[in-house]
Amino acid sequence: MSDAATLRKQLKIKSGSAKRLYKEHRLYQKEEEDLKRKLDKFVADKAEDWDIKNTRRMLEESGKMITDSAERLGGVMQELRDLVLAAEHDPELAEDEELMKAREALEEVSV
């Protein structure tokens, strides 16, 4: 396989990974917000201790997953940026569809 074909394949893989990890990261953030509301409601309603403790534990776990997904997303984004720069210097890939998709993924995830 040529360098251009390898680069094209890596662009496709990393673009997909970045989009998937971004979606995962947003889901964990939403879950954390929902759990915070749920915990506040339990505390306000003076729910059972077990419910409050369990919700706090789940909230803590969501926080860990947000940190983990952010780190993984950051790594993939850096790899994707490097691949895009390499592809931009390859005349064979200058206007390639996978390069355009990779640029779109970078813009989408950076927002």
Side-chain angles (χ1 to χ4, degrees):
M1 205 183 286
S2 70
D3 286 343
T6 303
L7 199 52
R8 187 177 294 119
K9 184 176 181 179
Q10 285 300 311
L11 282 169
K12 184 174 184 172
I13 291 169
K14 294 299 178 187
S15 296
S17 294
K19 288 179 181 180
R20 178 183 48 80
L21 286 169
Y22 181 63
K23 182 178 178 181
E24 181 180 312
H25 184 69
R26 285 193 339 241
L27 285 173
Y28 283 126
Q29 288 175 326
K30 183 181 180 325
E31 179 181 282
E32 184 180 49
E33 291 169 11
D34 292 345
L35 286 170
K36 282 180 182 177
R37 279 194 292 278
K38 186 177 178 180
L39 179 62
D40 291 342
K41 184 179 182 315
F42 280 159
V43 170
D45 294 344
K46 294 184 169 95
E48 291 185 28
D49 286 341
W50 183 89
D51 289 331
I52 294 172
K53 192 184 327 183
N54 192 44
T55 304
R56 279 192 178 121
R57 185 181 53 75
M58 290 174 16
L59 186 60
E60 182 181 308
E61 187 67 29
S62 287
K64 289 177 185 175
M65 292 309 296
I66 289 172
T67 303
D68 179 60
S69 64
E71 289 173 1
R72 289 185 292 138
L73 179 58
V76 168
M77 289 297 291
Q78 185 58 49
E79 291 172 10
L80 183 58
R81 276 188 210 97
D82 294 343
L83 284 170
V84 167
L85 287 175
E88 287 172 343
H89 293 302
D90 188 337
E92 193 176 323
L93 294 173
E95 297 300 319
D96 190 74
E97 181 182 351
E98 291 304 329
L99 179 58
M100 301 301 171
K101 287 180 181 178
R103 286 180 182 143
E104 289 173 15
L106 280 173
E107 288 178 26
E108 179 184 326
V109 174
S110 295
V111 173

